[in-house]
Structures are given as structure tokens and as C-alpha cells.
């Protein structure tokens, strides 16, 4: 089984509202075997639109990554960040 990755680029526009997402999302990630490889930290945009924050999350499989995103737990967390950020989230299969 090959791992899969969430790659997220985020600019938070309302930190107080975004805190609701940060409080709920970890339970969804833990339930699907996620492991954070990068979260915040120094970053440099070389091409494309600039985002303030970048996150890479490893999952044991593509199905686990998809299941996490579709889960009720993650969707509840995602609802908390609605209007509180600009985000791009991609799921990519690993090698």
C-alpha cells in the first residue's frame, strides 16, 4: 500500500474563527492515521500565488486520505474555517 499526502496552502484571514478548525481537525486526522510532515514554518513561494502557511500530511493510503476529508469529523472542522481563510487542499498519491 502506498502512502498519500494532503498538501494544503492556507492564508488565515480570521484567526479567532480559524481556531475552531484547529480545535476539531486533529481528531479527524488521528482517526485516519495521519502524520504531519510539515506545518507552518519558514516557506518561500517560488511560483504561483503566495500563501502564508503550508501543510503536508501523510496518510497510510489514498483511501485513508480521502476518507479523512469526507469524514463527518473533518467536515465539521472544515465548517469552522469557512470564511476564516483562503485555502487550497490537494490529495496526491505517493510513490
Amino acid at each position: 500500500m502506498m502512502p498519500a499526502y494532503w498538501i494544503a496552502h492556507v492564508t488565515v484571514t480570521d484567526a479567532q474563527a480559524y481556531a475552531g478548525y484547529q480545535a476539531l481537525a486533529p481528531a479527524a486526522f488521528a482517526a485516519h492515521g495521519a502524520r504531519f510532515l510539515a506545518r507552518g514554518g519558514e516557506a518561500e513561494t517560488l511560483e504561483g500565488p503566495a500563501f502564508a502557511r503550508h501543510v503536508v500530511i501523510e496518510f497510510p493510503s489514498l483511501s485513508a486520505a480521502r476518507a479523512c476529508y469526507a469524514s463527518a469529523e473533518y467536515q465539521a472542522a472544515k465548517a469552522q474555517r469557512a470564511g476564516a481563510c483562503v485555502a487550497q487542499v490537494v490529495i496526491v498519491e505517493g510513490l
Side-chain angles (χ1 to χ4, degrees), residues 9-75:
H9 308 287
V10 181
T11 297
V12 176
T13 56
D14 181 341
Q16 186 174 0
Y18 194 80
Y21 170 81
Q22 291 175 308
L24 295 176
F29 295 133
H32 293 88
R35 181 171 71 107
F36 282 81
L37 301 179
R39 180 171 42 193
E42 185 176 338
E44 181 179 353
T45 300
L46 301 176
E47 294 186 33
F51 287 87
R53 182 178 176 88
H54 307 278
V55 181
V56 180
I57 308 169
E58 182 180 57
F59 288 85
S61 66
L62 190 56
S63 62
R66 288 177 172 152
C68 181
Y69 189 83
S71 71
E73 295 86 1
Y74 187 76
Q75 290 302 308

